[in-house]
Amino acid sequence: MPTRFPLLLLAAALSACGGTAQDDTAATTQSSMSGGGHLEAAAADEYDTLRAKWSLQLTGGSAVNTADPDVAAQIATITSTAQGYWDTLQTGSGRTCLWSDLATWTRSTTITQTYSRLLAMALAYSTTGSSLQGNAALGTAILSALDWMNAHHYGSGITKYDNWWDWEIGSPQALNDITVLMYGQLSATQIANHLAAVDYYVPDPTKRTGTTLVETGANRLDKASVVALRGVIGKSATKIAQGRDAISQALLYVTSGDGFYADGSFIQHTNVAYTGSYGLVLMSDIARLYYLLNGSTWAVTDANAGNVYDWYANGYKPMVYQGAVMDAVRGRAISRQASTDHDAGRSLTVSLARLAQGAPAANAAAINGTVKHWMQRDTTFANYYKGLSLYDIANLKGILANSGITPDPEQIQTHVFASMDRALHSYAGYSSMVSLFSTRISAFEYGNGENIKAWWTGAGMTYVYNNDLTQFSGDYWPTVNQARLPGTTTDGSGSGTPASFGNYPNTYHWAGGSEVDNLHATAGLQFSMSKVTGSTLQGRKSWFLFGDKIIALGSGIANTDGRTVETIVENRKLNAAGNNALTVNGLSMPTTSGWSATTTSVQWANLAGNVSGTDIGYWFPSPVSLSGLRETRSGSWQQINTGGPATTVTNTFLSLALNHGAAPANASYAYVILPNYTAARTAAFAASPTVTILENSLDAHAARDTAAGVTGVNFWNDATKTVNDAGGAYLTSNRKASVAVRDTGSELHIGVADPTQANTGTINLELNRSAWQVIGKDPAVTVTQLYPTIKLTVNVNASAGRSYAVQLAEGTTVALAPSADTYVQDGAAAGTNFGTANTLVVKNDGVGYARQAALKFDLSGIGGTIAGATLALMPTSVGAANTFSNRVSLLASSAWAETGLTWNTMPGVSSVLGTWVVGAAGQAVMLDVTSAAVAAAGGDKVLPLKVDSPVNVGANGWVNYGSREAAAANRPVLYVVYH
């Protein structure tokens, strides 16, 4: 989609095309309108009502408050803009263009820009309070120009050229609006001619005209709007319905290609994250269409119409911080000077405010609360209302003044948008987003001359938004070194002009992550730049988004082409003076531009923010050599967007980097970003950190923050891998996976995802913690064991990278050794005790050969309510495995001693607790004895058990289990979990 050209742009008068510029005298003496005179008035019908609604949102209506200074200023702008265009309009009979600076008719943008200027003139003609309102000469000039365009450049039968968008979206949108505004002055013939042109270029909003391409996403909604409004103007129920019905496909959630995904992602052009650009167009169209049609015969009644309100909550709202749409989801729009993150945010605010007007009450209240919050928090505009339509000024001011609308609180949430490879973390006082890429999502998009240097924007760029609201605006993009973006591991490659609308994929699937409780996330990226910049650089990167910290790890960083590789910890735009304080290990660094140094043994650093409360701290778990650079950089918007101005702009940046050298083979890094930490607070954290790096290898990345109570692990390979902590084994996975574990002190909340989106089976996890109850879980999660370790099986087939959650009530597990154990034998040995043996022999055979085992466990040390008890026995040798069973029973008495019990004195059995088929030697037996343990805990606190074979299976039906005298690995254990 090309840039949408501003309607209020005043061009200088040139003389490159035939004809003469219009002046006031010519305007007042111009002949009457062509095409048969004014359209005769007729009785108003529903079409007229809808047309009037559309006109109202264009002009603000006759009741516009001209006493409001913002309204008055906008009316003045509308008037002066239109007057400027009128003054320079070519009117001669031999004219070959309408404006001399728009005379290149081999470029389709000339058509759209020409109609945009005529629309600006029609707006002044129709706006209450404008000195040009109803000016007959202006009206004549507009209609004459429309006729000329219809005859020469945009009429039925004229062949398209250049960019389809101008013919099917840009130009017909403007032409429709003009026709609505000038409807009362246009003849029936003129209206028919203009509608015929729209019909010729946009006969079907669902298809790219002249092709078999099916329109999707924002493009489809744009064209649906064109056709529906054309139907209103032409009083065609068929066309209105055609436009309305084209919306239906765009209302569906998609699983591939363009549109909204169930996780809130929005994609356009198949593989580009575009919520903040094409997504804004889509929402604008939806809001306008709902406004136009709802309440009419052609109301949108699609069963999925309500999805739009979910998009607001889960797709748009998370992407906005203090009124700015995050650049990570704005694609090529970041290269447009007139489209900053706050401009995009205001555009979204306007659209949502419109959407709220026709929304159900609950949805309207939620949307208006968000709109009010954004407007109150966004202080970047000298005048928030400048340049907005009169209708929107009144609408937004009404929301702001309405005491019944409560602004949203600060957004606290974390979410991995797996379908567009973005990870969001919004916490108190800041918001961060990490841009990733994969085999599914392109690293960036270049097209129409826009976004020329964006090679690294999707390769791990880490945005930190805080109260420094203009960090990523104020000429950030033409001045920042786009080969050294914060969060990236870069070799500086990427030059020349990218392929227009080409795909720049990763060669690896692994991109995404897991989230827990919508508060914390573990994100990761295995990357190769070979299909992006052509370099051999590759590696593994992780971001642990935990509370007020961003933990960054990297490993396997390597290239073979000799380029020097850096990881850019930070590259932040400084204040106007460029003198933000940088503190390293407590020492102040120089503040003069051009300073650079590499400081060794760095444990922490802090960069002062541009406004109060926006300092950022950096902590390094192991001391590093940190390269710092304070540089003044100049550039122009034209250098990143061929349509931008060539004017030189300048900013000062402070970068911090970890240098991995030339052609590293397996470099790594670890650092922690501490948003909004002062230097003193950063130093205090460095002295007593709460973050521990558990592993940073080619197999796994793992980190823990005890302050947040969260641990995250990324498993890089499809192989069984265990990550350890200070207590030994912590978490084991058998497949590539991302895991986030939150320990609240009483509960364990676990999020698991397949970030590769390629696993068609399961992920098996074992967590070396205990639980006593499943509180809740997603259906894809099967809890196979709660103690002594937690075992999960997660079905990730067709999961699209989503996180699956399970919540467990945390328990304490103790492993009890028997207080006594022995075996006994019948026949001649019926009075013999075997209590000191290192085996417990079990056999059912003829008299004199039968053997049984007895064990008892002391439960008096259990300090809570028992939730589970499991007996573990280890067979050290087996006569004939898998051909017979053993069983365990509850003995009626515990009054026996290990060195005194014999066959003759063995107590009777109270109940059988369970049986199992004997397996091979070394194959542990685990048997649930919870009910007996609970009963014992309520009695004498001793659990006595008997193990025997219920059936005589002959001489080979024996098993030797390890006794408490055996080697440690073979001893009996009673695992008891309690809470």
Side-chain angles (χ1 to χ4, degrees), residues 112 126 260 345 408 512 812 825 892:
T112 300
S126 306
F260 266 101
D408 282 352
T812 299
Q825 183 173 349

Side-chain angles (χ1 to χ4, degrees), residues 485-538:
L485 296 172
T488 62
T489 296
T490 175
D491 59 8
S493 58
S495 61
T497 301
S500 186
F501 296 104
N503 182 21
Y504 288 93
N506 199 339
T507 61
Y508 294 105
H509 298 289
W510 212 123
S514 54
E515 60 191 63
V516 60
D517 295 341
N518 286 31
L519 291 174
H520 312 281
T522 300
L525 170 69
Q526 183 173 8
F527 76 99
S528 164
M529 297 301 290
S530 61
K531 293 187 177 181
V532 182
T533 65
S535 83
T536 60
L537 180 63
Q538 60 180 330

Side-chain angles (χ1 to χ4, degrees), residues 35-94:
H38 297 296
L39 188 72
E40 294 300 323
D45 55 24
E46 189 174 11
Y47 300 106
D48 297 321
T49 301
L50 294 181
R51 193 182 66 254
K53 283 180 69 175
W54 197 266
S55 179
L56 175 65
Q57 72 168 353
L58 291 174
T59 67
S62 59
V64 64
N65 181 13
T66 56
D68 183 310
D70 295 312
V71 170
Q74 184 59 21
I75 292 173
T77 299
I78 290 170
T79 303
S80 63
T81 300
Q83 186 67 59
Y85 289 148
W86 190 14
D87 289 345
T88 55
L89 179 69
Q90 303 295 316
T91 60
S93 59

Side-chain angles (χ1 to χ4, degrees), residues 481 552 630 632 816:
N481 185 340
R630 190 183 298 262
T632 299
L816 300 178

